[in-house]
Amino acid sequence: MPVIDVDLSSDTVTRPTREMRQFMCDAEVGDEQKLEDPTVTLLQEMVADLLGKEAALFLPSGTMCNEIALRVHCRPGDEMLAHRTAHPIHFEGGGPAALAGVNVRALDGERGQYDADAVAAAIRPENRYMPRSRLVWVEQTSNLGGGSIWPLERIVAVTDVARRQGLSTHLDGARLMNAVVATGITALDYAAPFDSAWIDFTKGLGAPVGAALAGSRDFIKDAWRLKQQMGGAMRQAGIIAAGGIFALRHHVKRLADDHQNARRLAAGLATLAGVALDPTTVDTNIVIFDLRGRLDAPAAVAGLLERGVRMGAMGPRTIRAVTHLDVDADGIERALEAARSVLGS
Ligand SMILES: *Cc1c(COP(=O)(O)O)cnc(C)c1O
C-alpha cells in the first residue's frame, strides 16, 4: 500500500492529539455499569446540557445510539421514516431489521433531505393491514447528502407533522456540531424538536471512541437497559469518555477550519476538466463530486492513492472527500496537486 500523505477518506481517521491522550491518561475512573465513573457521568451531563435533554447515555458508537434509539421508540412491525440515504439503511448491518424488527420507509429529496409534505404523505392511515408509522428520523448533517445542513425551519416543519400524528422523532447528530459551527445555530435549538438526539465524538471532534445519546429521563432509563442487553455497558470507561470531554472543550470551534478546507478543496476541484462539482453545495466538511473524464471512480481513487491522497469511491463515477483535524491547508494544496494530475483532463 502506498504511503498516505493526505487522508480524506473520512473524518473518522483522526488520531487523538498528544493533549487529548494526556487528558485521557489522567482521567478519574470507576465502574460505569455501577454509575461510578465520574468522567463518564460528567460527559453525560455535558451532552444532556448541550442538547437540552434531561439525561444522556455514553455509548461505544454512534451506530449503537441509533439502534438503541430505534428499539426504545419502536416495537417490531412498526415503521420509521428516513431519507433513503440514512445511515441505518446502509451502514448498520441490517440493524433496524435484525435488532428492532422495524420496517423502514425511505423518503426522497435533494441532498439527503426530505420535506414536511413527504412525511405527511408517508404516514400510514390507522388500519391492520399496514405497518404502524412510529418514528421520523433526521440526519444532521446528511452524510451521503454531502454534509448538507438541514435548515432549522425544515426540521421544525417535519417534526411538527410527526408530532401532530403521534410519531416520535430522532436526530442522528453524528455531525451535528459541524452544522452548529457552520450556522451559529445552537445544538440545543437543533435538538429541541426531537425526542432523542445524539452526537459522535469520533467524527470531526477527533476522539478515539464513543458517542452519547440524549433524551428524557424515561427514554434514557429504557436505553440503559438495552445498552446492558447489547453488551455496550462498560467498566472504567472514563478513559475513553475523557476523549469526548476534551473534544467538546477544544475541538468544536476548530471545525470551522475543516469547513474552510472543504470549500478550498471544492473550489480547486471544480476548476478541473475531469470533475463535475458545484462548490456552493459544500455546507460543511464533506465534498462529493462526479467524474466527467475518461476515468471511473475506482480508477481515479487508485490514481490519487498512488500520489499519497486517499478519497473514497461512492459510486461508479462519484467520489467523496472529507476534511478533518489531521488535514491542514497545506494538505489540501497537496491533495489538489494530485487531483490536477489525475483529474485535470
Ligand atoms: C458515522 C455515522 C454514524 C455511526 O457512527 P459510528 O460512531 O461510526 O458508529 C451514524 N450516522 C451517521 C450520519 C454517521 O455519519
Side-chain angles (χ1 to χ4, degrees):
M1 184 146 150
V3 176
I4 298 169
D5 170 34
V6 188
D7 194 343
L8 297 166
S9 61
S10 174
D11 48 6
T12 57
V13 300
T14 56
R15 286 157 178 118
T17 60
R18 277 234 63 76
E19 295 75 21
M20 181 183 279
R21 285 174 196 250
Q22 191 58 52
F23 188 76
M24 294 172 73
C25 202
D26 295 340
E28 250 187 88
V29 296
D31 188 337
E32 80 113 32
Q33 290 194 20
K34 298 195 172 73
L35 311 183
E36 288 171 3
D37 189 302
T39 305
V40 171
T41 302
L42 172 60
L43 179 58
Q44 290 175 163
E45 284 167 0
M46 286 170 73
V47 171
D49 283 352
L50 181 75
L51 300 179
K53 305 296 179 201
E54 286 175 358
L57 181 62
F58 183 55
L59 289 166
S61 70
T63 299
M64 199 180 277
C65 290
N66 275 345
E67 295 298 332
I68 285 180
L70 258 177
R71 289 187 61 193
V72 175
H73 288 303
C74 302
R75 302 279 74 81
D78 287 350
E79 188 165 73
M80 70 177 274
L81 311 181
H83 190 270
R84 64 184 158 73
T85 58
H87 196 274
I89 301 183
H90 301 285
F91 305 119
E92 298 184 11
L99 304 173
V102 161
N103 211 41
V104 181
R105 187 90 179 267
L107 305 183
D108 285 320
E110 294 292 300
R111 302 178 67 218
Q113 303 179 20
Y114 51 81
D115 61 17
D117 288 345
V119 175
I123 293 177
R124 312 276 192 176
E126 190 63 50
N127 70 46
R128 66 185 161 81
Y129 295 97
M130 293 178 172
R132 188 172 59 141
S133 305
R134 193 68 210 98
L135 181 64
V136 164
W137 189 280
V138 170
E139 190 176 293
Q140 177 78 303
T141 64
S142 166
N143 180 357
L144 298 187
S148 77
I149 298 172
W150 282 70
L152 189 53
E153 313 78 71
R154 180 183 287 238
I155 288 175
V156 168
V158 302
T159 53
D160 274 355
V161 174
R163 197 166 308 101
R164 277 203 300 274
Q165 304 285 326
L167 278 66
S168 300
T169 52
H170 174 76
L171 176 64
D172 173 339
R175 296 186 183 78
L176 175 62
M177 300 316 289
N178 291 86
V180 168
V181 167
T183 62
I185 295 170
T186 63
L188 198 140
D189 284 342
Y190 275 132
F194 295 95
D195 298 306
S196 55
W198 63 273
I199 56 168
D200 212 326
F201 304 117
T202 66
K203 301 283 166 80
L205 294 180
V209 190
L213 173 65
S216 69
R217 242 180 288 286
D218 284 346
F219 177 90
I220 293 300
K221 189 160 174 254
D222 289 348
W224 241 119
R225 169 174 289 278
L226 297 175
K227 165 170 165 162
Q228 195 73 42
Q229 189 184 94
M230 292 163 82
M234 295 171 278
R235 299 297 184 183
Q236 286 69 35
I239 291 276
I240 52 175
I245 293 173
F246 188 90
L248 285 177
R249 288 182 183 158
H250 302 288
H251 289 174
V252 174
K253 279 202 200 110
R254 64 149 308 284
L255 291 170
D257 301 342
D258 298 345
H259 300 165
Q260 166 115 29
N261 286 335
R263 280 196 298 274
R264 173 73 199 107
L265 179 69
L269 287 169
T271 65
L272 303 181
V275 170
L277 168 63
D278 174 1
T280 65
T281 60
V282 176
D283 287 350
T284 54
N285 70 326
I286 300 177
V287 179
I288 293 179
F289 59 96
D290 289 325
L291 300 175
R292 59 179 174 199
R294 61 202 155 75
L295 295 179
D296 63 11
V301 163
L304 290 165
L305 197 54
E306 271 172 33
R307 289 162 180 80
V309 176
R310 183 152 80 159
M311 297 187 189
M314 258 186 51
R317 303 192 64 80
T318 306
I319 292 180
R320 174 173 170 271
V322 188
T323 59
H324 53 76
L325 179 68
D326 288 356
V327 175
D328 59 13
D330 288 345
I332 295 299
E333 294 312 318
R334 296 199 297 283
L336 283 172
E337 196 55 49
R340 268 189 283 275
S341 57
V342 177
L343 306 171
S345 54

